[in-house]
Amino acid sequence: MPIVNITMIEGRTEEQKRQLVKKVTDAIVETCEAPPEAVTITILDIPKTNVANAGILRSDAGRK
Amino acid sequence: MPIVNITMIEGRTEEQKRQLVKKVTDAIVETCEAPPEAVTITILDIPKTNVANAGILRSDAGRK
Amino acid sequence: MPIVNITMIEGRTEEQKRQLVKKVTDAIVETCEAPPEAVTITILDIPKTNVANAGILRSDAGRK
Amino acid sequence: MPIVNITMIEGRTEEQKRQLVKKVTDAIVETCEAPPEAVTITILDIPKTNVANAGILRSDAGRK
Amino acid sequence: MPIVNITMIEGRTEEQKRQLVKKVTDAIVETCEAPPEAVTITILDIPKTNVANAGILRSDAGRK
Amino acid sequence: MPIVNITMIEGRTEEQKRQLVKKVTDAIVETCEAPPEAVTITILDIPKTNVANAGILRSDAGRK
């Protein structure tokens, strides 16, 4: 512990994920007194057809 | 908030998801006094080989 | 399946939850061709000190 | 209920999953007084580029 | 990895949880070639007012 | 989106959580080109009796 699940729209590069997990782990270590090896992060990439806000699919957002 | 995660067997169409997120958002707005734009929904489609009930994979259900 | 996890700020009444699960189940049955008894819903109530948007705890939102 | 979500690195075979859900269901039935048909299990397979420990992606682990 | 999240109705004893995590870990080690120390399990206890099946709260189930 | 769920052992202070969500949001904004207001974070505090590693409850860890 801590376990961090990050759900985001698919499309980030492996390099972005590399930086993301590094910085998120640092943030947790700095603020929660957890050693780095205690922090597990999973990333769930989901398509725009599987995310909605205000009742509208992200894949439909911006369409008239 | 609220955040709604819906996990279901893969196979629903984009149109079904369009209707699903619309109606689920309406249900939350009507009952929980949350504005539509506060409601985020994610859908996780998973294969029948990754779901089980009573110890049996859905992909095996119905096989003798 | 489907399984629905709803995470929201604590404070809704049991009656609101009664209506919420009824309407969300109806929404799923109508749009996803799932029988009502296949739909499982869990509700996670969390305090304002455990939710953040734009880097600010909900419990701090609105404070100058 | 109970609902069990298992997140693991992608690559297990269907047969491994068949055995996994059987044994995990047995474990829950034996210890938690839940009937088998009450136990739902979902498995989320994720790539090594989407998992990190100690700030390092699993896909980078072992690289100099 | 693997990470196992178990959501269940509140009320199990610490001893039941002790047995549960032991047997679930064994099940994963036996079937998925994961060492025991790689397996993390979290248990989420939720009240009957926060669980529903077929649109009915568990706390209402059995009431006429 | 992105949505971040952080599960950790209960006991962190509100001030630690204030710093945690600020730094985790910054980490995501810097690496994933997401505006701060798009980032939602939830924190789930769980007791040591509800977490296990290597088949042992955290509340039992260190006991002979």
Side-chain angles (χ1 to χ4, degrees), chain B residues 41-56:
Chain B
I41 300 175
T42 64
I43 298 169
L44 182 62
D45 294 313
I46 54 178
K48 289 185 176 181
T49 52
N50 282 34
V51 185
N53 184 251
I56 297 168

Side-chain angles (χ1 to χ4, degrees), chain A residues 13-27:
Chain A
T13 65
E14 190 170 336
E15 181 54 29
Q16 283 182 298
K17 292 176 183 176
R18 190 170 289 125
Q19 296 304 320
L20 172 65
V21 298
K22 174 83 181 66
K23 291 186 187 239
V24 167
T25 301
D26 291 346

Side-chain angles (χ1 to χ4, degrees), chain C residues 1-58:
Chain C
M1 301 290 281
I3 297 172
V4 183
N5 300 319
I6 303 175
T7 303
M8 52 188 188
I9 305 275
E10 60 189 10
R12 270 74 178 199
T13 65
E14 189 169 338
E15 181 53 28
Q16 283 182 296
K17 292 176 184 177
R18 189 169 290 125
Q19 297 304 320
L20 172 65
V21 299
K22 174 82 181 68
K23 291 188 185 232
V24 167
T25 300
D26 291 347
I28 290 174
V29 169
E30 282 166 42
T31 59
C32 291
E33 299 150 29
E37 59 279 8
V39 181
T40 302
I41 299 176
T42 64
I43 299 170
L44 182 62
D45 293 313
I46 53 178
K48 290 184 176 181
T49 53
N50 282 34
V51 185
N53 183 252
I56 297 167
L57 288 178
R58 178 64 67 91

Side-chain angles (χ1 to χ4, degrees), chain E residues 14-47:
Chain E
E14 189 170 338
E15 181 53 28
Q16 282 183 295
K17 293 176 184 176
R18 189 170 289 124
Q19 295 305 320
L20 172 65
V21 299
K22 173 83 181 65
K23 291 188 186 238
V24 167
T25 300
D26 290 347
I28 291 174
V29 169
E30 282 166 41
T31 59
C32 292
E33 297 151 31
E37 59 279 8
V39 181
T40 301
I41 300 176
T42 64
I43 299 169
L44 182 62
D45 293 314
I46 53 179

